């Protein structure tokens, strides 16, 4: 089975206030809306401190990057936090050129 174009989101509660999301697969124009909607639903439910583990992403395009930037801004605006962790080496250039902190 070809997993290209698919995004899997696994979640794990870390302590009382943080939800860890592990992203696997591709974060691109096809799957970015899925992540955006998922994060919005978490925020609506009260989860405003999120940790995104990106170590299992195989692809990231500008659409996916935009979702990550917007989610970071959104959580900060409501006094929450979105922490990006375990960026694969090939992905660091995206973030080195941006205002996002790792």
């Amino acid at each position: 089975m070809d997993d290209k174009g698919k995004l899997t989101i696994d979640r794990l509660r870390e302590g009382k206030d943080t939800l860890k999301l592990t992203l696997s697969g591709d974060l691109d124009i096809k799957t970015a809306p899925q992540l955006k909607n998922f994060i919005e639903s978490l925020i609506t439910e009260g989860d405003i401190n999120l940790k995104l583990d990106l170590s299992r992403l195989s692809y990231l395009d500008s659409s996916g990057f935009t979702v990550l930037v917007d989610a970071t801004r959104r959580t900060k605006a409501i006094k929450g936090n979105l922490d990006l962790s375990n960026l694969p080496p090939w992905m660091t250039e995206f973030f080195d050129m941006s205002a996002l902190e790792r």
Side-chain angles (χ1 to χ4, degrees):
M1 178 185 228
D2 183 13
D3 285 340
K4 187 139 180 76
K6 291 187 180 181
L7 178 69
T8 303
I9 306 168
D10 295 314
R11 62 173 140 176
L12 175 68
R13 180 74 51 197
E14 286 190 344
K16 179 182 171 189
D17 297 328
T18 302
L19 186 62
K20 178 182 177 183
L21 305 176
T22 301
L23 308 181
S24 303
D26 296 341
L27 183 51
D28 58 16
I29 194 164
K30 292 179 184 176
T31 61
Q34 173 190 350
L35 180 61
K36 179 180 179 182
N37 293 338
F38 188 78
I39 290 174
E40 280 299 318
S41 70
L42 292 174
I43 290 170
T44 300
E45 294 169 6
D47 281 308
I48 60 171
N49 295 304
L50 304 173
K51 180 178 181 181
L52 273 62
D53 180 341
L54 306 180
S55 64
R56 295 184 183 169
L57 278 183
S58 53
Y59 183 76
L60 174 72
D61 73 4
S62 60
S63 300
F65 181 76
T66 299
V67 169
L68 296 175
V69 171
D70 290 347
T72 300
R73 290 181 182 149
R74 172 91 165 89
T75 54
K76 284 184 180 184
I78 57 173
K79 307 287 191 249
N81 185 51
L82 187 134
D83 177 37
L84 303 177
S85 66
N86 300 320
L87 278 68
W90 60 266
M91 193 185 296
T92 56
E93 189 172 319
F94 264 105
F95 295 92
D96 288 344
M97 294 185 295
S98 76
L100 289 181
E101 294 181 21
R102 282 181 263 138

